[in-house]
Amino acid sequence: MTPRRQAVDPLPSLFDRPVGLIRSSCPLGRIELTSDGTSVTTLALERRAELPHDGFRESSLDVLVTALEQIAEYFDGTRRSFDVPLSPVGTPFQLAVWTGLAGIGFGEAKTYGQLGHEIGAGPAGRAIGSAVRANKLPLLVPCHRVLAAGGRITGYTQGSGVPTKQWLLEHEGIDYRAPARPSTLQIA
């Protein structure tokens, strides 16, 4: 018996709609924030000319305007931390990882292993990496500050991927090693 995939509904449902939604531009392209009415719930950087809620009209809230102002200050170099209310949704393990991410200051970096040890998960690099990738509040919860052992970039899911992470690291003056290039196969 072959499992059947559910058909994907191309139209968003009422339940997918955030209470508040605001978009703007930044040095990395378009940016989108959503809110549950009191806190910021998601932040997305444009990827392949798309944002997750492009099909919805904006519905601005004070918390989103404040968040965008703080993000603009971050990009201008006048802000190093954020103080808007956040409401991340995840598993207890993901929440622990994201709390650890929030403790990494501007201009600092940690490895996945260091982060794992700090939150009491030991050297659970892959599990930490999965939780970091699931972060729906990048920049505000600074997942770009996590590197592989030796300071190497292994990936980034926002914006243009690794180039976006490199830009953010350089913006903060964080030393890193570029990702390894895949070897090319030569056929004789």
Side-chain angles (χ1 to χ4, degrees), residues 38-156:
T38 58
S39 302
V40 179
T41 53
T42 67
L43 181 154
L45 295 169
E46 184 175 42
R47 186 161 183 90
R48 296 182 187 101
E50 293 182 5
L51 287 166
H53 296 96
D54 269 340
F56 294 109
R57 277 185 280 179
E58 290 187 49
S59 175
S60 182
L61 298 172
D62 288 344
V63 68
L64 294 175
V65 171
T66 300
L68 270 183
E69 288 170 352
Q70 291 185 14
I71 290 166
E73 292 167 356
Y74 166 81
F75 283 120
D76 288 341
T78 59
R79 176 172 288 276
R80 294 177 172 236
S81 63
F82 302 98
D83 60 4
V84 292
L86 306 176
S87 186
V89 175
T91 67
F93 180 75
Q94 288 172 330
L95 293 170
V97 170
W98 300 336
T99 299
L101 289 174
I104 305 172
F106 181 96
E108 299 174 13
K110 295 197 175 170
T111 66
Y112 294 97
Q114 287 172 321
L115 184 58
H117 283 292
E118 287 181 9
I119 68 163
R126 289 182 195 261
I128 298 294
S130 292
V132 169
R133 276 188 301 280
N135 175 21
K136 299 286 187 207
L137 291 160
L139 299 180
L140 301 173
V141 178
C143 51
H144 63 277
R145 297 177 186 155
V146 181
L147 301 168
R152 192 169 42 85
I153 295 176
T154 55
Y156 195 63

Side-chain angles (χ1 to χ4, degrees), residues 19-32:
V19 172
L21 169 65
I22 194 168
R23 295 181 198 93
S24 187
S25 59
C26 72
L28 299 170
R30 291 187 311 144
I31 188 170
E32 172 184 274

